[in-house]
Amino acid sequence: MRHRFALAFLAVAVPAFAEVPYPANPSMTGEAFEAYVTGKTLTYAQDGTVYGTEQYKAGRKVVWAFTEDECREGYWYDKAPYICFVYEDPNDPQCWLFFMESHGMKAMFVGEGGGADLSEVAQSAGPMGCMGPQVGV
């Protein structure tokens, strides 16, 4: 009788765990993140729409651009369990949790207003094509 109760309890409890965004994957450490991203340019999407692209250079340097926007240089640092970014504009750190999944990396914003979930949708070894002020002038 106890076994039937336990099985009934598990059948009810398991779906609740499935609703957690990243249940089986712990967030990436700074070392794991650095090993995965350095030398790559990754494109991220939110809800299937391209959100932006970031180039990860040696020395934890980055270049970020929202889709069709100017590039912003910056750097990232490890503040376990978060990976935080500081860009030339704005200067406030922006912290994320990163997770590896079978089809690439996922990121969850944990700063003010949080809730942004991004998925890696493309990667390359080449540099970013940056738009800039007064290009073509």
Side-chain angles (χ1 to χ4, degrees), residues 5 17 39 50 60 67 77 81 86 102-103 111 122:
F5 174 76
F17 290 116
V50 173
R60 298 186 172 189
T67 302
Y77 62 93
V86 177
S102 60
H103 54 278

Side-chain angles (χ1 to χ4, degrees), residues 51-63:
Y51 184 82
T53 302
E54 189 148 46
Q55 180 180 358
Y56 298 90
K57 300 178 178 184
R60 298 186 172 189
K61 303 289 185 198
V62 295
V63 179

Side-chain angles (χ1 to χ4, degrees), residues 17-65:
F17 290 116
E19 294 173 10
V20 176
Y22 310 102
N25 303 331
S27 63
M28 296 175 77
T29 64
E31 293 80 19
F33 180 79
E34 185 170 28
Y36 182 76
V37 301
T38 302
K40 296 179 183 174
T41 298
L42 303 179
T43 300
Y44 296 96
Q46 182 177 37
D47 298 324
T49 302
V50 173
Y51 184 82
T53 302
E54 189 148 46
Q55 180 180 358
Y56 298 90
K57 300 178 178 184
R60 298 186 172 189
K61 303 289 185 198
V62 295
V63 179
W64 166 261

